[in-house]
Structures are given as structure tokens and as C-alpha cells.
């Protein structure tokens, strides 16, 4: 007996979804329609980062103030003690920070030192080009983000750190204290009673600049440059403050609080520049806007 012809599924009919696959909607960022927009940081997220990092900064300051042994122990690990010469009889401890005498590391430090001003000038030029190029149209949202980057650089590393704290904190650098071959007494982070006159240790200006470079690499690099420039810039932003500690130029607290201060200021200024932007509604979920996992 012949079997009844069974219906053959058309190759054009859609197959049922696999039971182990599911879809999550991909919600476009508010900047999805802008040309050349960097990684989006919403104002709400920026405000969260601001409060979290500000509280972390204050808690770390209290920790370093009440447990100063953290600073002295880390500094001592980079210090090489030596016998005092006849010309150094007034010193209780003699020695050097060997990494500070390494020519390659000093050249690398010089490169890291100029990264913040170079990228600051780049942002100024980019903003000016955006203003003058009428053919492309002015992206106001992107302009606000670039302005946030410029203002945070000027307000944080330039004014607050190098202009105020380093001039009035009076904390001697490790290499200037009597614990590590200097003549001045050690004071903990946050203690402004030290004997340093100017350009003092609290907090590190280069670490603050490195913290700003970190934020720049994450949120202000052009999309086409991110794959190439972000990894080395993030690495530089982490290595630069560590080098200042290894050189005996700053205590660990100076570097950590200096670096984090730029994240606090950057996120706060970013929020101020973007807080009035209207949130765009999420687009409907379609096959084109879904991501498979």
C-alpha cells in the first residue's frame, strides 16, 4: 500500500527557534544617531560615578591619614638604603630610589607628563573645527562632551591639584623626608602641617593627569581610534602614577588620591554638561536590534 504523500516543508518557511537560544534587546544609546560620537556615558551614570568615587576618595584619605604605615611601607620597598658619607652626617638615613636614576624610565615619564596637555589641545582644536565646519553640521551633544573634557582638565589637574593642593598641603615628598634620605619630617596624607614650602607631595599632579587621560581614553577618543589608542593610553594612565611612587616623588596615597581626583571631577563635570539632555525613547525591538546570546 502506498503511503499518503506527506506535506514537504518549504525551504522558505522559517524554522522554529532553538530552545536554547534567546534574545535580548539592544537599546541604542542616546548618541546613536550622531556622527563620530564617542563611547556614551549618560548623565545618570556619570552622577553615579561621581558620588561613588567621591565617597571612595574621602574614605581612602581617612585610611591613609590614620594608617600612615601604608605609605611608609610602600615607599620603603622602592628605597635602597646606603651608608651615609662624611658630608651627610646630619642625615639619619641615607640612600636612593634606584628607579629614579633609570634613564629609560625618566624618558618614559617625560612622555607621560605631556599626554594631558597634548590631548587637551587636541580637544580644543577638535571643538574649533566642529564650530567652523558648517557643512557637517554642529553636533551640540558631542560639543558638550568635549567641553566637559576640557573643563575637567583645567579644573582638576591644573587648578585644584597643581594650583592649590600641591602649593598649600606642605607635605614633603618621600625623598625629602628623613625616613628616605631627606631632612624634613614625615606627615600623613591630609596633614597640612608639614615643612614643604611649595610643589609638595599631596597630591600628585602627574597622577591626576594620568587619571584624566584614563577618562579621555574611555569616553573622548574618536571611535575609529579607540581600538588602537585606548589600550596604550589606559596602560600609560596606570603606569604613570606607579612610577611616581617608585621614583620617591610621591607616596602611594598621593598617587592614588591624585588619580582618583580626576575621575571624580571628570564625572561631575560631565554630569553638569549633559544633565539637561532629553532622553531618547528606546526603539522597538526588531530582528535588526536584537542581539543573540
Amino acid at each position: 500500500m502506498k503511503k499518503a504523500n506527506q506535506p514537504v516543508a518549504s525551504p522558505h518557511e522559517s524554522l522554529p527557534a532553538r530552545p536554547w537560544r534567546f534574545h535580548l534587546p539592544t537599546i541604542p544609546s542616546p548618541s546613536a544617531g550622531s556622527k563620530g560620537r564617542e563611547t556614551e556615558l549618560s548623565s545618570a551614570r556619570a552622577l553615579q560615578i561621581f558620588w561613588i568615587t567621591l565617597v571612595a576618595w574621602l574614605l581612602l584619605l581617612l585610611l591613609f591619614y590614620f594608617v600612615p604605615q601604608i605609605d611608609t611601607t610602600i615607599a620603603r620597598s622602592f628605597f635602597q638604603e646606603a651608608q651615609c658619607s662624611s658630608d651627610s652626617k646630619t642625615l639619619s638615613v641615607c640612600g636612593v630610589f634606584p628607579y629614579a636614576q633609570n634613564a629609560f624610565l625618566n624618558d618614559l615619564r617625560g612622555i607621560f607628563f605631556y599626554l594631558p596637555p597634548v590631548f587637551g589641545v587636541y580637544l580644543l582644536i577638535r571643538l574649533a573645527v566642529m564650530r567652523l565646519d558648517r557643512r557637517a553640521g554642529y553636533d551640540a551633544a558631542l560639543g558638550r562632551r568635549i567641553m566637559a573634557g576640557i573643563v575637567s582638565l583645567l579644573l582638576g589637574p591644573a587648578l585644584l591639584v597643581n594650583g592649590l593642593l600641591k602649593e598649600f598641603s606642605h607635605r614633603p615628598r618621600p625623598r625629602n623626608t628623613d625616613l628616605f634620605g631627606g631632612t624634613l619630617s614625615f606627615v600623613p596624607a591630609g596633614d597640612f602641617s608639614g615643612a614643604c614650602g611649595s610643589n609638595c607631595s599631596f597630591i600628585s599632579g602627574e597622577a591626576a593627569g594620568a587619571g584624566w587621560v584614563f577618562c579621555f581614553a574611555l569616553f573622548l577618543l574618536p571611535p575609529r581610534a579607540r581600538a588602537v589608542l585606548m589600550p596604550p593610553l589606559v596602560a600609560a594612565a596606570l603606569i604613570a602614577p606607579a612610577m611616581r611612587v617608585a621614583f620617591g616623588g610621591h607616596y602611594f596615597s598621593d598617587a592614588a588620591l591624585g588619580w582618583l581626583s580626576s575621575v571624580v571631577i571628570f564625572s561631575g563635570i560631565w554630569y553638569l554638561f549633559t544633565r539637561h539632555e532629553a532622553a531618547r525613547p528606546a526603539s522597538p525591538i526588531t530582528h535588526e536590534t536584537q542581539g543573540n546570546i
Side-chain angles (χ1 to χ4, degrees):
M1 180 181 294
K2 293 184 179 180
K3 294 183 180 180
N5 291 333
Q6 299 293 331
V8 180
S10 170
H12 300 289
E13 292 179 6
S14 58
L15 297 176
R18 296 177 184 176
W20 61 84
R21 294 173 66 88
F22 61 96
H23 303 284
L24 288 179
T26 300
I27 301 175
S29 69
S31 62
S34 298
K35 294 180 290 183
R37 183 67 55 80
E38 288 67 9
T39 300
E40 180 63 24
L41 174 63
S42 68
S43 60
R45 181 58 60 86
L47 185 60
Q48 290 176 352
I49 295 174
F50 169 77
W51 285 116
I52 291 172
T53 52
L54 177 60
V55 171
W57 195 94
L58 294 172
L59 291 176
L60 283 174
L61 176 60
L62 290 175
L63 175 66
F64 290 130
Y65 180 82
F66 288 108
V67 191
Q69 295 84 358
I70 297 174
D71 276 339
T72 55
T73 300
I74 293 176
R76 190 170 287 111
S77 68
F78 294 105
F79 180 71
Q80 182 177 318
E81 191 170 350
Q83 185 175 2
C84 294
S85 64
S86 57
D87 298 332
S88 307
K89 292 183 178 180
T90 58
L91 300 178
S92 57
V93 176
C94 296
V96 295
F97 287 90
Y99 286 113
Q101 301 175 344
N102 185 291
F104 170 76
L105 292 180
N106 276 282
D107 291 339
L108 192 62
R109 179 202 170 192
I111 295 173
F112 292 161
F113 181 85
Y114 287 106
L115 288 180
V118 166
F119 289 129
V121 171
Y122 157 76
L123 290 179
L124 285 171
I125 295 174
R126 188 176 179 194
L127 186 62
V129 171
M130 287 174 56
R131 288 282 189 180
L132 296 175
D133 188 3
R134 298 181 179 180
R135 295 172 300 175
Y138 180 66
D139 187 342
L142 178 57
R144 285 190 291 270
R145 284 153 176 75
I146 293 177
M147 281 297 300
I150 296 170
V151 172
S152 63
L153 176 62
L154 295 176
L155 185 61
L159 178 60
L160 178 63
V161 177
N162 285 296
L164 295 176
L165 284 176
K166 288 176 66 64
E167 293 302 314
F168 298 101
S169 63
H170 302 300
R171 187 187 197 192
R173 299 172 183 271
R175 61 173 177 255
N176 299 133
T177 62
D178 53 10
L179 298 175
F180 304 106
T183 58
L184 305 180
S185 299
F186 169 84
V187 294
D191 186 336
F192 284 26
S193 65
C196 173
S198 63
N199 193 25
C200 303
S201 191
F202 185 84
I203 49 182
S204 170
E206 291 179 45
W212 182 88
V213 169
F214 178 82
C215 297
F216 170 86
L218 261 61
F219 303 115
L220 287 172
L221 272 177
R224 289 176 294 183
R226 293 181 76 244
V228 176
L229 293 182
M230 180 183 288
L233 287 181
V234 169
L238 298 175
I239 294 172
M243 288 175 57
R244 299 303 295 134
V245 178
F247 281 19
H250 288 283
Y251 290 103
F252 177 74
S253 59
D254 303 320
L257 294 173
W259 193 93
L260 192 58
S261 70
S262 286
V263 182
V264 175
I265 293 173
F266 184 94
S267 57
I269 297 298
W270 188 283
Y271 167 74
L272 292 177
F273 273 86
T274 61
R275 69 188 190 280
H276 293 309
E277 292 180 356
R280 297 182 180 180
S283 60
I285 299 174
T286 65
H287 291 290
E288 287 75 17
T289 61
Q290 287 176 338
N292 297 331
I293 294 182

